[in-house]
Amino acid sequence: MGEGKRFFLHLGVVTILAFAGSAVFKWLAPANLVSRALLFIPLFYFIILLLSKVVLLRLTSKDDRKFTQTFLAITVFRFLLYLSILIVYSLLVPADAVRFIISFFVFYFLFTVFEISYLYRDLHPRKN
């Protein structure tokens, strides 16, 4: 299986598990702990990571030396996007801001660990 297809498959599995965890949390937790946007956050991260990987693969397919610069540019863009979403949502929906920010960072951590572990596997292949 190709590098991109394997990543997309694993990203889909992580997203489904994150969505299932969110649904269980929303069902079991008191309403004052659950953000209204909780179930949309895993889908958001899925789309952003999917687009990031597609752009990274396309821009570095012809020249592997561009990888570091492209990866850093994508990472900075995503970070600024995340920050702007947190600020805009907090200003538009102040009653849900704290719950949203906490939920957003929980999924940020989960999806970042997934991405870094996947990147580490690609950069440091196992020796047979």
Side-chain angles (χ1 to χ4, degrees):
M1 193 178 315
E3 174 188 344
K5 289 181 183 178
R6 193 175 75 227
F7 176 81
F8 300 141
L9 177 66
H10 290 145
L11 178 61
V13 170
V14 168
T15 304
I16 290 169
L17 291 174
F19 183 79
S22 300
V24 169
F25 180 75
K26 186 173 183 165
W27 181 56
L28 294 177
N32 64 338
L33 297 179
V34 180
S35 172
R36 294 187 299 178
L38 179 66
L39 295 178
F40 298 107
I41 298 173
L43 178 62
F44 168 77
Y45 277 108
F46 174 78
I47 292 169
I48 294 298
L49 283 179
L50 186 70
L51 291 174
S52 297
K53 187 66 169 184
V54 167
V55 169
L56 184 65
L57 289 175
R58 290 229 171 117
L59 293 178
T60 61
S61 64
K62 295 179 179 128
D63 187 7
D64 286 339
R65 294 177 291 171
K66 288 181 165 181
F67 178 82
T68 304
Q69 183 180 7
T70 305
F71 180 76
L72 286 174
I74 290 170
T75 303
V76 167
F77 175 77
R78 282 194 330 219
F79 180 74
L80 293 174
L81 175 68
Y82 297 159
L83 190 58
S84 62
I85 287 172
L86 288 173
I87 291 169
V88 168
Y89 188 89
S90 296
L91 291 174
L92 293 177
V93 190
D96 194 37
V98 173
R99 293 182 296 256
F100 177 76
I101 291 170
I102 291 170
S103 301
F104 195 87
F105 278 121
V106 166
F107 287 110
Y108 174 79
F109 179 74
L110 173 73
F111 281 91
T112 300
V113 166
F114 165 75
E115 183 183 21
I116 290 171
S117 67
Y118 216 91
L119 182 64
Y120 184 79
R121 265 188 277 164
D122 287 344
L123 294 177
H124 299 287
R126 294 182 187 170
K127 295 178 183 174
N128 294 335

